[in-house]
Amino acid sequence: MNKLIKNIEFSKVLDLKELISYQEGQVISRTIAQIPSVNITLFSLDLSEGISTHVTSGDAIVQILDGTAEITIGDDVFNVRKGETIIMPSNVPHGLEARERFKMLLTVLKY
């Protein structure tokens, strides 16, 4: 049987932010699940690193696990902090930048 969840332990209490580390000057990702309609990925972004503006065909849920991210959705800019969540709607340009280094759980749902 193929498991949909990967790169993470089963049947164990986990602190997601501890499953990915910061690396100087880099964006690090760890895929947790990936099928055509769902992608779940942990990210860490060092200070001033970012993910350039792009458009996706799915809605994206960003949950900040540590630090602060500046997230642009269309013409709006949001400072999203540890413990906060924001939805980036499909087909709307969006991007992220680390105003301080941050970790996030990104869930993208495509239809």
Side-chain angles (χ1 to χ4, degrees), residues 16-70:
L16 291 178
K17 72 180 178 295
E18 299 302 321
L19 298 179
I20 193 162
S21 60
Y22 292 110
Q23 293 190 22
E24 187 175 337
Q26 293 188 33
V27 175
I28 305 298
S29 66
R30 181 177 185 170
T31 301
I32 303 300
Q34 189 170 27
I35 59 174
S37 60
V38 178
N39 186 352
I40 302 172
T41 308
L42 284 169
F43 283 91
S44 70
L45 287 85
D46 196 25
L47 178 65
S48 299
E49 293 299 318
I51 298 174
S52 60
T53 301
H54 61 284
V55 175
T56 61
S57 61
D59 294 328
I61 303 167
V62 174
Q63 297 170 275
I64 303 299
L65 305 172
D66 188 40
T68 303
E70 181 179 278

Side-chain angles (χ1 to χ4, degrees), residues 5 7-16 18-19 30:
I5 305 291
N7 300 321
I8 194 169
E9 291 184 66
F10 284 68
S11 303
K12 182 176 179 182
V13 176
L14 302 168
D15 182 347
L16 291 178
E18 299 302 321
L19 298 179
R30 181 177 185 170

Side-chain angles (χ1 to χ4, degrees), residues 51-62 70-76 78 86-97 104 106 108:
I51 298 174
S52 60
T53 301
H54 61 284
V55 175
T56 61
S57 61
D59 294 328
I61 303 167
V62 174
E70 181 179 278
I71 298 177
T72 303
I73 303 171
D75 294 328
D76 298 317
F78 304 89
I86 192 165
I87 309 295
M88 300 183 299
S90 63
N91 302 312
V92 176
H94 57 271
L96 303 95
E97 186 170 333
M104 69 175 178
L106 175 67
V108 180

